[in-house]
Every structure is written in structure tokens, then in C-alpha cells.
Amino acid sequence: MGRGAYEGGNGVAAPAAAMPGWLGGLVEESFFVGCGAHESRKKNEKNIFCLDCCTSICPHCAAAHPSHPLLQVRRYVYNDVVRLDDLEKLIDCSYVQPYTINSAKVVFLKPRPQSRPFKGSGNICLTCDRILQEPFHFCSLSCKVDHVLLRGDDLSSILFRFSESDFAFPHFENLRMDGSDLLEDDDDLIAPEDVTQHRGGSASSNGGAPKKKKSGAGFFPQIVLSLSNRRKGAPHRSPLS
């Protein structure tokens, strides 16, 4: 399916018979691996997805895609995530559980591995059985897409037309090729979003979501403190024996 059916102004896409190439590529591509075209270059991790070429690229490759719509992919606890604001321009993300990490709402692209299957009652992902907060039904974008396909529904019902100008490389925020834009690997910093906030409404409470914890004084604060407290003065000669 060509991308032309899914680009342009806002609104629901025209009927489609199959999954568009960019969507299949986004949920199947490998990110944060070395770029084969730039093996000798530093900072060559693939953390960008070209919606036109339907493939993952590194920042050095972006120059070869000057007019293509590009989507920035981030990393959290060894899993690929995309900002909710970006993803909602492409596809309906309702009932996919978002998370707030470093003040940004993100959605997982694929289901995360589980140590053991869930047993018992509760709200779980309709595709992979991961425990979710009410009233969400999916833990990742891939799980929602798989559910729509398993039901035999047309994916065009959740796809949106998008403007390529919204995904131009200069619009990327805080993209650092050294990988320092990666999200912090700390479970205390991840909090599911309330569905009313996800839909643009106002919530009366935070839904019991854990609040962010402020980090400490940095690496080795005691050593830094001891060094800063040293005072220069006249040298003291050791006493003669």
C-alpha cells in the first residue's frame, strides 16, 4: 500500500485493504543497532524511522532523506518507545496505555517481555495479557494493531492522514547522536497516564500513579564534597624524628 493514501491533511485515511508499509515497518524494525552504512562513524545507532522508505536509519543517514517524513524513536529499559504526540498524528492510540517518562508521554511500540504469564482477575492487555490500568486495553501499539487485524477490521479505521512537514528532521527535539537523549532506566520514573488526560480532558486526581523521584546530587557526591572543601594554605613540613 503506497504512502500516498495516508498523507495530506487531517482526517481518517481512505479505506485500505492491507497494512501500510510504514506501519508494518515501524512495529517490526530493529532500532538502536549499529548502522551498516556508517559502521566507521561514531554515534551511528538507528533511532529514526523513515515513514517514506519504511526503514530505520541513523542520524548520519538523515541527509539522504531530505524531504522524507522521519519519526524519532527513543529507548526505555531496552524497549522502543515513541512520543504520544508524534504517534497520534499517524494512528489512533486510544486505549493504548501511555506512560510519562521525563515529562513526556510515550507509547511502547512492541509488548515487553514478561517473566511469567498473568494468572488471576484484573484488567489485562487484550493481546498479550499484560496487566494494565483501567480503562486501557493494550500495552503497546503492536498489540492494538494485532487485535484489529485478528477481529478482521480494516486498519483504515484507525489510521490518519498526516502532513510530512510534521515529521521533518529539523523538528526533532533534543536528538543527540551520542544517545544521551535516551530515557532514564528507572522504574520509579514511569507512570501510566489517566485516560482522561490521554483524551485531552482534565483529571481530578493522578489515579494513584507514582510521582517522579528527584535524583540525588550526582555521581560520587561525597568525593566531590570532600574535594570542594579542601583549602589551600601554607605547606606543613613533617616533624623531624
Side-chain angles (χ1 to χ4, degrees), residues 130-180:
R130 173 174 287 277
I131 301 176
L132 302 174
Q133 286 195 346
E134 294 283 357
F136 299 105
H137 299 325
F138 310 102
C139 70
S140 65
L141 175 66
S142 177
C143 282
K144 178 168 183 174
V145 171
D146 288 345
H147 181 75
V148 173
L149 292 175
L150 287 174
R151 290 179 54 184
D153 294 340
D154 198 328
L155 284 175
S156 64
S157 62
I158 62 172
L159 295 173
F160 296 100
R161 300 181 183 183
F162 62 89
S163 173
E164 292 187 354
S165 61
D166 290 335
F167 296 95
F169 186 75
H171 288 183
F172 282 17
E173 296 181 0
N174 301 322
L175 178 62
R176 300 171 184 169
M177 292 187 295
D178 59 359
S180 57

Side-chain angles (χ1 to χ4, degrees), residues 186-201:
D186 189 341
D187 287 336
D188 291 331
L189 297 180
I190 186 167
E193 282 295 318
D194 185 82
V195 69
T196 55
Q197 296 176 347
H198 175 48
R199 290 183 168 182

Side-chain angles (χ1 to χ4, degrees), residues 54 72 231:
C54 306
Q72 184 176 354
R231 296 178 179 271

Side-chain angles (χ1 to χ4, degrees), residues 3 6 33 43 53 60 62 66 70 78 126 151 192 202 222-223:
R3 69 179 178 87
Y6 298 96
V33 295
K43 310 167 186 177
C53 301
H60 301 295
L70 304 176
Y78 305 105
L126 297 179
R151 290 179 54 184
S202 58
Q222 295 178 348
I223 297 178

Side-chain angles (χ1 to χ4, degrees), residues 33-46 58-63 177:
V33 295
C35 176
H38 297 98
E39 290 180 340
S40 60
R41 302 284 296 274
K42 294 182 178 180
K43 310 167 186 177
N44 66 345
E45 285 188 326
K46 294 183 176 182
C58 78
H60 301 295
C61 297
M177 292 187 295

Side-chain angles (χ1 to χ4, degrees), residues 17 65 73 121 154 173 194 237:
H65 302 253
V73 179
S121 59
D154 198 328
E173 296 181 0
D194 185 82
R237 189 185 301 273

Side-chain angles (χ1 to χ4, degrees), residues 75-86:
R75 194 82 158 165
Y76 176 77
V77 194
Y78 305 105
N79 290 274
D80 302 325
V81 297
V82 174
R83 285 183 185 268
L84 180 61
D85 289 343
D86 293 335

Side-chain angles (χ1 to χ4, degrees), residues 4-139:
Y6 298 96
E7 63 181 10
N10 295 325
V12 178
M19 182 185 300
W22 69 260
L23 180 56
L26 182 61
V27 297
E28 295 174 4
E29 272 289 296
S30 297
F31 296 96
F32 294 92
V33 295
C35 176
H38 297 98
E39 290 180 340
S40 60
R41 302 284 296 274
K42 294 182 178 180
K43 310 167 186 177
N44 66 345
E45 285 188 326
K46 294 183 176 182
N47 56 356
I48 302 172
F49 183 76
C50 179
L51 295 166
D52 197 19
C53 301
C54 306
T55 187
S56 57
I57 62 175
C58 78
H60 301 295
C61 297
H65 302 253
S67 59
H68 294 180
L70 304 176
L71 181 67
Q72 184 176 354
V73 179
R74 293 173 168 81
R75 194 82 158 165
Y76 176 77
V77 194
Y78 305 105
N79 290 274
D80 302 325
V81 297
V82 174
R83 285 183 185 268
L84 180 61
D85 289 343
D86 293 335
L87 209 53
E88 283 184 323
K89 298 173 184 176
L90 300 168
I91 189 169
D92 178 11
C93 296
S94 61
Y95 296 107
V96 178
Q97 181 165 296
Y99 295 84
T100 297
I101 309 174
N102 294 352
S103 302
K105 296 179 182 180
V106 300
V107 168
F108 285 97
L109 291 180
K110 303 174 185 178
R112 289 168 287 161
Q114 301 185 68
S115 57
R116 57 181 180 272
F118 172 74
K119 295 181 180 180
S121 59
N123 187 47
I124 60 175
C125 176
L126 297 179
T127 302
C128 72
D129 296 337
R130 173 174 287 277
I131 301 176
L132 302 174
Q133 286 195 346
E134 294 283 357
F136 299 105
H137 299 325
F138 310 102
C139 70

